[in-house]
Amino acid sequence: MSGAGSPTLDVDGTGLRVVIVAGSWHDEITDALIAGATRTLEASGAQFSLVRVPGSFELPVVSKAALEAGADAVVALGVIIRGGTPHFEYVSAAATDGLTRVALDTGKPVGFGVLTLDDEQQGLDRAGLPGSKEDKGREAAEAAIATARALRSVWS
C-alpha cells in the first residue's frame, strides 16, 4: 500500500475490536511495526490489544484464535530475514498462506504486516522509524480497519 498510487482508506475504527499479533524476532524492526500499528489504532478509535508470539510461523494460529474469540480484525506483524538455508522460504510461505487461510476461514480481516526481507536494512526502511521510507505497521492496521468496515457494509 505504500508509495505512488497508495489508496486513501477509511480508518474509523470506532466500535471495532482489533488484536495486534506480533512475532518476537528482530526487536528493533518488530517494535517499530507495533508502534506504527498502535498509533494508527489509537487514532482510529478502535479497541485493541497486543499478543506476542515466538515468531512469524506462529502468527496464523494465534490470529485465528483471536478472531474466533471475538476480535473484528487482526494486525499480523512479523519479520523474516533471508538466510543461507531454505528456512526463509518455508517460514515466509507458512506465514503468508496461514494468514490468508485464517482470513478466509473466519471471514474476518487480517492486516498483513509480515516483512520478508533480504537484509536488516530493508526492514529498517519499512518499519516506520525516523528516516524510514515506509511504515508497514501503520499500513497493516489501516488495511485491517478498512477491510473490517467494508465487511460490515456488505451486511448493512
Side-chain angles (χ1 to χ4, degrees), residues 7-151:
T8 301
L9 301 174
D10 182 351
V11 291
D12 178 0
T14 304
L16 294 177
R17 294 161 298 162
V18 181
V19 178
I20 301 169
V21 182
S24 299
W25 284 79
H26 308 287
D27 294 4
E28 184 178 10
I29 299 168
T30 301
D31 290 348
L33 292 171
I34 293 167
T38 298
R39 282 190 303 273
T40 301
L41 293 170
E42 285 175 346
S44 80
Q47 295 177 2
F48 67 95
S49 60
L50 169 66
V51 177
R52 297 297 295 259
V53 297
S56 293
F57 188 82
E58 292 77 24
L59 292 171
V61 68
V62 176
S63 294
K64 184 175 184 202
L67 293 169
E68 289 176 343
D72 297 302
V74 162
V75 178
L77 305 173
V79 179
I80 309 167
I81 299 178
R82 187 180 305 278
T85 69
H87 182 73
F88 172 86
E89 283 79 11
Y90 300 142
V91 174
S92 297
T96 302
D97 295 346
L99 290 169
T100 300
R101 181 175 160 198
V102 166
L104 294 172
D105 287 354
T106 63
K108 295 181 180 181
V110 176
F112 189 80
V114 179
L115 303 184
T116 53
L117 311 165
D118 289 323
D119 56 51
E120 184 177 31
Q121 186 59 52
Q122 289 178 341
L124 296 171
D125 289 343
R126 291 164 177 80
L129 293 163
S132 293
K133 298 171 186 153
E134 301 171 281
D135 185 344
K136 295 298 186 183
R138 175 185 54 79
E139 291 177 15
E142 288 177 347
I145 292 167
T147 305
R149 292 183 54 79
L151 286 166

